[in-house]
Amino acid sequence: MASLLKVDSLTGVTTAGSISVTGEGNSTTTNLQQGLAKAWVKYDQATTTAIDVSFGISGITDEGTGDTTTALTNSFSSADYVHSGFVKENGIINWKSCAAGNIRCVTITTSASNADYDEVAIILFGDLA
């Protein structure tokens, strides 16, 4: 018989913001909050700089060809967080600057020229402020 748990929020017993999840082999645990993406976005630079879908993102700013600043809804505790990105059509994404409340990236072609792409995605992991 399958079990079903329905809740609107989870809070740790020992520490409110800490919930451990037991791994598949029952021998290790993962901190739930540490493993979740805190923000992500997919946007279009090519036609108009516009967000297609996002979570934890308050907006994006076109800084020039292939150059975009993404503002976060909730800031990280510092600029020391993990970021990753993807660009359609063999583009390359470089991180120009990283602050607690925003990240600026530049998309380039394989020949190192700035270029706008119709699909750019970034995902961010770390501790929120």
Side-chain angles (χ1 to χ4, degrees):
M1 179 175 176
S3 296
L4 179 65
L5 173 66
K6 292 184 178 184
V7 297
D8 290 326
S9 68
L10 294 172
T11 302
V13 175
T14 306
T15 304
S18 182
I19 296 174
S20 293
V21 178
T22 302
E24 296 83 2
N26 296 326
S27 61
T28 60
T29 59
T30 300
N31 183 290
L32 183 63
Q33 290 80 356
Q34 290 295 312
L36 297 174
K38 302 305 190 305
W40 51 263
V41 63
K42 180 177 155 292
Y43 59 91
D44 180 352
Q45 294 174 312
T47 52
T48 61
T49 302
I51 294 174
D52 295 329
V53 293
S54 69
F55 172 76
I57 303 296
S58 60
I60 56 175
T61 303
D62 186 349
E63 307 284 2
T65 302
D67 189 350
T68 307
T69 297
T70 302
L72 306 173
T73 303
N74 298 300
S75 293
F76 284 96
S77 59
S78 72
D80 190 22
Y81 54 90
V82 176
H83 42 80
S84 183
F86 306 92
V87 181
K88 185 180 174 183
E89 302 163 358
N90 298 319
I92 299 166
I93 191 165
N94 288 323
W95 311 107
K96 192 167 187 175
S97 64
C98 185
N102 63 64
I103 188 164
R104 187 170 178 181
C105 61
V106 176
T107 52
I108 60 174
T109 64
T110 54
S111 61
S113 300
N114 282 25
D116 286 335
Y117 290 90
D118 63 355
E119 286 186 28
V120 179
I122 61 173
I123 187 167
L124 309 169
F125 296 89
D127 295 330
L128 294 177

